[in-house]
């Protein structure tokens, strides 16, 4: 991981320098534009009359407001749990000694 960036950089430099080719420039001569005949209009005539103004469109009706939803009912409180029975007192017994064997 320590040398991976250096190795990658050197590899890229070698690959890109190996692809170097001498540049050749090709000059294409410009094509002369074709001669076209353009019709030029005569003097402008008088301005025409202004057209009539259109009618204003009527406004649409506003939609009705939706009904408010019902409020949910409050849930019941859970019952209190019962207390468990008391455990028995431990019994006294013999003492066991474990002796490890070597």
């Amino acid at each position: 991981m320590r040398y991976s960036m250096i190795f990658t950089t050197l590899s890229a430099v070698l690959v890109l320098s190996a692809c170097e080719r001498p540049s050749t420039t090709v000059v294409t001569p410009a094509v002369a534009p074709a001669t076209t005949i353009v019709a030029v209009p005569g003097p402008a005539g008088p301005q025409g009359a202004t057209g009539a103004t259109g009618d204003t469109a009527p406004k649409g009706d506003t939609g009705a407001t939706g009904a408010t939803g019902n409020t949910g009912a409050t849930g019941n409180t859970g019952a209190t749990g019962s207390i468990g029975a008391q455990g028995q007192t431990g019994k006294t017994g013999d003492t066991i000694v474990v002796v490890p064997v070597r």
Side-chain angles (χ1 to χ4, degrees):
M1 187 71 185
R2 188 171 168 187
Y3 298 108
S4 65
M5 288 300 289
I6 295 172
F7 180 73
T8 304
T9 305
L10 290 177
S11 296
V13 168
L14 289 175
V15 167
L16 292 176
S17 66
C19 294
E20 185 178 338
R21 289 189 244 167
S23 64
T24 55
T25 306
V26 176
V27 178
T28 308
V31 178
T35 306
T36 56
I37 299 173
V38 178
V40 178
Q47 183 174 357
T50 304
T53 304
D55 294 336
T56 304
K59 276 192 169 183
D61 295 334
T62 304
T65 304
T68 305
N70 296 334
T71 304
T74 304
N76 296 333
T77 304
T80 305
S82 60
I83 298 176
Q86 185 175 356
Q88 296 177 353
T89 306
K91 298 178 182 177
T92 58
D94 298 332
T95 302
I96 299 175
V97 178
V98 177
V99 179
V101 180
R102 285 189 177 203

